Amino acid sequence: MALYDRIGVGYDTTRSADPYLLSRMLHHLHPRDAARYLDVGCGTGNYAAAMREESLRVVGLDFAATMLNRAREKHPSMAWVRARGEAIPFPARAFAGATCTFVHHHMEDPARAFAEVYRVVEPGARFVLLNATVEQTRGYWLLEYFPRMMAQAMAPFERLDTVGALTAAGFRIECEEQYEIRRDLRDNFLYCGKHRPEMYLDPRVRTGISSFANAADQDEIEKGVERIAQDIASGRIENVIRSYAHDKGDYMFTGAAK
Protein backbone atom coordinates (compact mmCIF):
# COMPACT_ATOMS: atom_id res chain seq x y z
CA MET A 1 0.00 0.00 0.00
CA ALA A 2 1.30 3.46 -0.90
CA LEU A 3 2.54 5.67 1.93
CA TYR A 4 -0.34 8.12 1.98
CA ASP A 5 -2.92 5.36 1.66
CA ARG A 6 -1.37 3.81 4.78
CA ILE A 7 -1.22 6.94 6.91
CA GLY A 8 -4.48 8.32 5.54
CA VAL A 9 -6.53 5.99 7.75
CA GLY A 10 -5.93 7.98 10.94
CA TYR A 11 -4.47 11.12 9.41
CA ASP A 12 -7.11 13.52 10.76
CA THR A 13 -6.42 12.43 14.31
CA THR A 14 -3.40 14.71 14.46
CA ARG A 15 -3.56 16.79 11.28
CA SER A 16 -5.79 19.81 10.74
CA ALA A 17 -5.61 23.14 8.92
CA ASP A 18 -3.61 25.63 10.95
CA PRO A 19 -5.26 29.10 11.02
CA TYR A 20 -2.00 31.03 10.77
CA LEU A 21 -0.68 28.97 7.86
CA LEU A 22 -4.03 29.33 6.14
CA SER A 23 -3.93 33.10 6.59
CA ARG A 24 -0.49 33.34 4.98
CA MET A 25 -1.51 31.07 2.10
CA LEU A 26 -4.50 33.29 1.38
CA HIS A 27 -2.35 36.39 1.69
CA HIS A 28 -0.02 35.14 -1.04
CA LEU A 29 -2.82 33.66 -3.18
CA HIS A 30 -4.71 36.98 -3.57
CA PRO A 31 -8.04 35.16 -4.08
CA ARG A 32 -10.98 36.69 -5.95
CA ASP A 33 -14.65 36.25 -5.16
CA ALA A 34 -16.41 33.53 -7.17
CA ALA A 35 -13.13 32.34 -8.76
CA ARG A 36 -12.12 28.67 -8.68
CA TYR A 37 -8.86 27.38 -7.14
CA LEU A 38 -6.99 24.07 -7.17
CA ASP A 39 -5.39 22.46 -4.12
CA VAL A 40 -2.70 20.11 -5.44
CA GLY A 41 -2.02 17.17 -3.12
CA CYS A 42 -5.02 18.00 -0.95
CA GLY A 43 -4.79 14.89 1.24
CA THR A 44 -7.89 14.58 3.44
CA GLY A 45 -8.96 18.05 2.39
CA ASN A 46 -8.18 20.04 5.52
CA TYR A 47 -6.71 23.11 3.83
CA ALA A 48 -9.05 22.94 0.83
CA ALA A 49 -12.05 22.89 3.16
CA ALA A 50 -10.61 25.71 5.26
CA MET A 51 -10.22 27.79 2.09
CA ARG A 52 -13.83 27.08 1.19
CA GLU A 53 -14.85 28.37 4.60
CA GLU A 54 -13.19 31.61 3.53
CA SER A 55 -15.65 31.69 0.60
CA LEU A 56 -13.31 30.28 -2.06
CA ARG A 57 -14.42 27.71 -4.64
CA VAL A 58 -11.84 24.94 -4.27
CA VAL A 59 -11.18 21.68 -6.10
CA GLY A 60 -9.03 19.17 -4.22
CA LEU A 61 -6.68 16.89 -6.16
CA ASP A 62 -4.75 13.92 -4.77
CA PHE A 63 -3.68 10.46 -5.88
CA ALA A 64 -4.12 8.65 -2.53
CA ALA A 65 -7.55 7.03 -2.60
CA THR A 66 -7.70 6.65 1.19
CA MET A 67 -7.03 10.36 1.66
CA LEU A 68 -9.64 11.38 -0.92
CA ASN A 69 -12.27 9.04 0.50
CA ARG A 70 -11.83 10.71 3.86
CA ALA A 71 -12.08 14.14 2.25
CA ARG A 72 -15.34 13.13 0.55
CA GLU A 73 -16.75 11.77 3.81
CA LYS A 74 -16.06 15.03 5.61
CA HIS A 75 -17.05 17.41 2.82
CA PRO A 76 -19.32 15.63 0.31
CA SER A 77 -20.39 18.84 -1.38
CA MET A 78 -16.85 19.73 -2.47
CA ALA A 79 -15.12 18.55 -5.65
CA TRP A 80 -12.42 15.92 -5.06
CA VAL A 81 -10.44 14.52 -7.97
CA ARG A 82 -8.09 11.53 -7.94
CA ALA A 83 -5.10 12.29 -10.13
CA ARG A 84 -1.39 12.98 -9.98
CA GLY A 85 -0.07 16.51 -10.04
CA GLU A 86 1.95 15.52 -13.09
CA ALA A 87 -1.26 14.87 -15.07
CA ILE A 88 -4.01 17.26 -13.96
CA PRO A 89 -7.29 16.33 -15.71
CA PHE A 90 -8.51 19.87 -16.40
CA PRO A 91 -8.30 22.13 -19.44
CA ALA A 92 -5.96 25.09 -19.74
CA ARG A 93 -6.79 28.19 -17.70
CA ALA A 94 -9.43 26.36 -15.64
CA PHE A 95 -8.38 27.90 -12.32
CA ALA A 96 -7.69 31.35 -10.91
CA GLY A 97 -4.83 30.02 -8.80
CA ALA A 98 -3.46 27.00 -6.96
CA THR A 99 -1.93 25.87 -3.68
CA CYS A 100 0.38 23.00 -2.71
CA THR A 101 1.05 22.31 0.96
CA PHE A 102 3.80 19.92 2.21
CA VAL A 103 3.47 17.84 -0.95
CA HIS A 104 5.81 18.44 -3.84
CA HIS A 105 8.84 16.65 -2.33
CA HIS A 106 6.73 13.46 -2.57
CA MET A 107 5.96 13.92 -6.26
CA GLU A 108 7.62 11.67 -8.84
CA ASP A 109 8.32 14.67 -11.08
CA PRO A 110 7.75 18.05 -9.36
CA ALA A 111 8.94 19.98 -12.42
CA ARG A 112 6.30 18.26 -14.56
CA ALA A 113 3.65 18.93 -11.89
CA PHE A 114 4.56 22.62 -11.81
CA ALA A 115 4.26 22.76 -15.60
CA GLU A 116 0.81 21.19 -15.31
CA VAL A 117 -0.25 23.75 -12.70
CA TYR A 118 1.03 26.49 -15.02
CA ARG A 119 -1.11 25.06 -17.79
CA VAL A 120 -4.35 24.91 -15.80
CA VAL A 121 -4.16 28.35 -14.17
CA GLU A 122 -5.07 31.56 -15.95
CA PRO A 123 -2.65 34.41 -16.75
CA GLY A 124 -1.91 36.46 -13.65
CA ALA A 125 -2.79 33.56 -11.35
CA ARG A 126 -0.73 32.84 -8.25
CA PHE A 127 0.61 29.45 -7.20
CA VAL A 128 1.43 29.24 -3.47
CA LEU A 129 3.56 26.43 -2.05
CA LEU A 130 4.49 25.63 1.54
CA ASN A 131 7.33 23.23 2.21
CA ALA A 132 10.81 23.05 3.72
CA THR A 133 14.13 23.67 2.01
CA VAL A 134 17.08 21.33 2.46
CA GLU A 135 18.91 24.05 4.41
CA GLN A 136 16.00 24.30 6.82
CA THR A 137 15.67 20.55 7.38
CA ARG A 138 19.39 20.34 8.15
CA GLY A 139 18.68 22.61 11.10
CA TYR A 140 15.99 20.42 12.72
CA TRP A 141 17.05 19.13 16.14
CA LEU A 142 15.38 15.84 15.18
CA LEU A 143 18.75 15.01 13.59
CA GLU A 144 20.08 14.46 17.11
CA TYR A 145 17.74 11.52 17.64
CA PHE A 146 16.78 10.23 14.19
CA PRO A 147 19.75 10.76 11.83
CA ARG A 148 18.82 7.96 9.43
CA MET A 149 15.18 9.00 9.28
CA MET A 150 16.16 12.61 8.64
CA ALA A 151 18.64 11.61 5.93
CA GLN A 152 15.84 9.68 4.23
CA ALA A 153 13.46 12.62 4.67
CA MET A 154 15.97 15.17 3.35
CA ALA A 155 16.93 13.20 0.23
CA PRO A 156 14.04 14.56 -1.92
CA PHE A 157 14.81 18.13 -0.83
CA GLU A 158 18.45 17.71 -1.81
CA ARG A 159 17.32 16.86 -5.35
CA LEU A 160 14.61 19.52 -5.49
CA ASP A 161 15.13 23.13 -6.52
CA THR A 162 11.65 24.55 -6.00
CA VAL A 163 12.41 28.00 -7.35
CA GLY A 164 14.29 26.60 -10.34
CA ALA A 165 11.49 24.16 -11.19
CA LEU A 166 8.84 26.87 -10.90
CA THR A 167 10.84 29.20 -13.12
CA ALA A 168 11.41 26.46 -15.67
CA ALA A 169 7.65 25.86 -15.75
CA GLY A 170 7.13 29.50 -16.67
CA PHE A 171 6.23 30.99 -13.30
CA ARG A 172 7.65 34.25 -11.99
CA ILE A 173 8.74 34.10 -8.34
CA GLU A 174 6.89 36.75 -6.36
CA CYS A 175 8.15 36.02 -2.86
CA GLU A 176 9.76 33.61 -0.45
CA GLU A 177 8.61 33.93 3.14
CA GLN A 178 10.20 31.99 5.98
CA TYR A 179 7.91 30.36 8.51
CA GLU A 180 9.05 29.42 12.00
CA ILE A 181 7.06 26.92 14.04
CA ARG A 182 4.67 28.68 16.41
CA ARG A 183 3.77 27.24 19.78
CA ASP A 184 0.06 27.28 18.92
CA LEU A 185 0.50 25.18 15.76
CA ARG A 186 -2.50 22.92 15.07
CA ASP A 187 -1.16 20.86 12.17
CA ASN A 188 1.21 18.17 13.43
CA PHE A 189 3.63 17.83 10.51
CA LEU A 190 7.31 16.83 10.82
CA TYR A 191 8.73 19.67 12.90
CA CYS A 192 5.55 20.31 14.90
CA GLY A 193 7.39 19.45 18.13
CA LYS A 194 10.18 21.98 17.69
CA HIS A 195 9.12 23.71 20.91
CA ARG A 196 7.16 20.74 22.32
CA PRO A 197 9.42 17.68 22.11
CA GLU A 198 6.97 15.63 24.16
CA MET A 199 4.76 15.49 21.07
CA TYR A 200 7.08 12.95 19.48
CA LEU A 201 6.41 10.54 22.33
CA ASP A 202 2.83 10.13 21.08
CA PRO A 203 2.62 7.31 18.49
CA ARG A 204 -0.49 8.92 16.98
CA VAL A 205 1.52 12.03 16.12
CA ARG A 206 4.32 9.98 14.59
CA THR A 207 1.87 7.88 12.57
CA GLY A 208 0.49 11.02 10.91
CA ILE A 209 3.96 12.21 9.84
CA SER A 210 5.25 10.62 6.63
CA SER A 211 8.93 10.75 7.69
CA PHE A 212 8.23 8.65 10.78
CA ALA A 213 5.69 6.36 9.11
CA ASN A 214 7.99 5.67 6.16
CA ALA A 215 11.30 5.42 8.06
CA ALA A 216 13.33 2.44 6.90
CA ASP A 217 14.88 1.96 10.34
CA GLN A 218 12.02 1.69 12.82
CA ASP A 219 14.45 0.52 15.50
CA GLU A 220 16.09 3.94 15.31
CA ILE A 221 12.68 5.53 15.83
CA GLU A 222 12.03 3.52 18.98
CA LYS A 223 15.45 4.27 20.42
CA GLY A 224 15.23 7.93 19.46
CA VAL A 225 11.87 8.29 21.18
CA GLU A 226 13.34 6.71 24.32
CA ARG A 227 16.25 9.18 24.23
CA ILE A 228 13.90 12.14 23.82
CA ALA A 229 11.92 10.97 26.85
CA GLN A 230 15.11 10.64 28.88
CA ASP A 231 16.35 14.06 27.79
CA ILE A 232 13.03 15.67 28.63
CA ALA A 233 13.20 14.12 32.10
CA SER A 234 16.79 15.27 32.68
CA GLY A 235 16.37 18.69 31.10
CA ARG A 236 19.06 18.01 28.49
CA ILE A 237 16.54 18.50 25.69
CA GLU A 238 16.71 22.29 26.13
CA ASN A 239 20.45 22.26 25.39
CA VAL A 240 19.87 20.08 22.32
CA ILE A 241 17.19 22.42 20.98
CA ARG A 242 19.38 25.49 21.55
CA SER A 243 22.33 23.86 19.78
CA TYR A 244 20.29 23.62 16.56
CA ALA A 245 19.06 27.23 16.58
CA HIS A 246 19.47 29.07 13.25
CA ASP A 247 17.95 31.97 11.32
CA LYS A 248 16.84 30.17 8.14
CA GLY A 249 13.29 29.46 9.27
CA ASP A 250 11.67 26.03 9.51
CA TYR A 251 9.55 26.07 6.36
CA MET A 252 9.10 28.35 3.35
CA PHE A 253 6.14 29.89 1.59
CA THR A 254 6.92 30.33 -2.09
CA GLY A 255 4.61 32.54 -4.09
CA ALA A 256 4.77 32.37 -7.88
CA ALA A 257 2.74 34.09 -10.58
CA LYS A 258 1.87 33.13 -14.17
Side-chain angles (χ1 to χ4, degrees), residues 1-229:
M1 184 182 293
L3 171 62
Y4 275 95
D5 280 316
R6 283 192 286 111
I7 71 174
V9 175
Y11 191 78
D12 286 333
T13 303
T14 58
R15 303 297 297 267
S16 60
D18 179 78
Y20 178 77
L21 294 181
L22 175 66
S23 72
R24 298 313 297 164
M25 289 170 62
L26 294 176
H27 170 80
H28 294 300
L29 188 62
H30 296 186
R32 305 194 317 267
D33 291 343
R36 187 168 68 158
Y37 295 86
L38 180 67
D39 187 22
V40 182
C42 65
T44 61
N46 293 330
Y47 284 96
M51 287 190 287
R52 189 185 70 163
E53 291 175 4
E54 297 294 327
S55 302
L56 275 67
R57 295 170 58 207
V58 183
V59 174
L61 181 143
D62 204 289
F63 193 67
T66 302
M67 291 280 195
L68 279 183
N69 288 340
R70 179 60 180 149
R72 292 189 183 103
E73 290 172 3
K74 294 188 299 180
H75 306 285
S77 65
M78 291 183 64
W80 307 105
V81 177
R82 186 170 186 239
R84 294 188 183 278
E86 295 89 343
I88 299 174
F90 288 95
R93 304 183 179 186
F95 298 95
T99 57
C100 186
T101 308
F102 306 120
V103 172
H104 64 277
H105 61 293
H106 289 301
M107 292 177 174
E108 293 182 1
D109 189 347
R112 175 60 187 162
F114 294 170
E116 275 289 271
V117 174
Y118 187 88
R119 180 183 65 80
V120 300
V121 299
E122 63 190 33
R126 285 174 171 80
F127 181 26
V128 182
L129 304 94
L130 174 59
N131 218 326
T133 68
V134 67
E135 292 81 12
Q136 289 171 332
T137 54
R138 286 172 180 159
Y140 292 3
W141 61 255
L142 292 170
L143 281 160
E144 182 83 6
Y145 301 94
F146 312 106
R148 294 187 184 89
M149 180 197 80
M150 288 301 297
Q152 182 180 341
M154 287 188 293
F157 294 106
E158 291 173 345
R159 298 189 297 268
L160 178 62
D161 176 4
T162 299
V163 169
L166 285 167
T167 303
F171 285 104
R172 179 181 71 257
I173 304 302
E174 297 258 298
C175 70
E176 289 185 283
E177 176 184 291
Q178 292 181 0
Y179 165 70
E180 294 191 5
I181 298 296
R182 293 158 57 106
R183 293 181 183 274
D184 62 353
L185 178 66
R186 296 186 190 176
D187 190 356
N188 295 334
F189 43 79
L190 177 58
Y191 209 28
C192 63
K194 175 183 179 179
H195 304 296
R196 297 176 291 168
E198 66 279 1
M199 293 186 67
Y200 297 114
L201 307 184
D202 187 339
R204 295 172 302 176
V205 170
R206 300 196 304 274
T207 297
I209 298 172
S210 61
S211 297
F212 282 99
N214 201 41
D217 187 351
Q218 287 296 320
D219 185 57
E220 178 191 69
I221 303 301
E222 293 180 12
K223 291 178 179 177
V225 169
E226 291 176 2
R227 289 177 56 211
I228 290 176

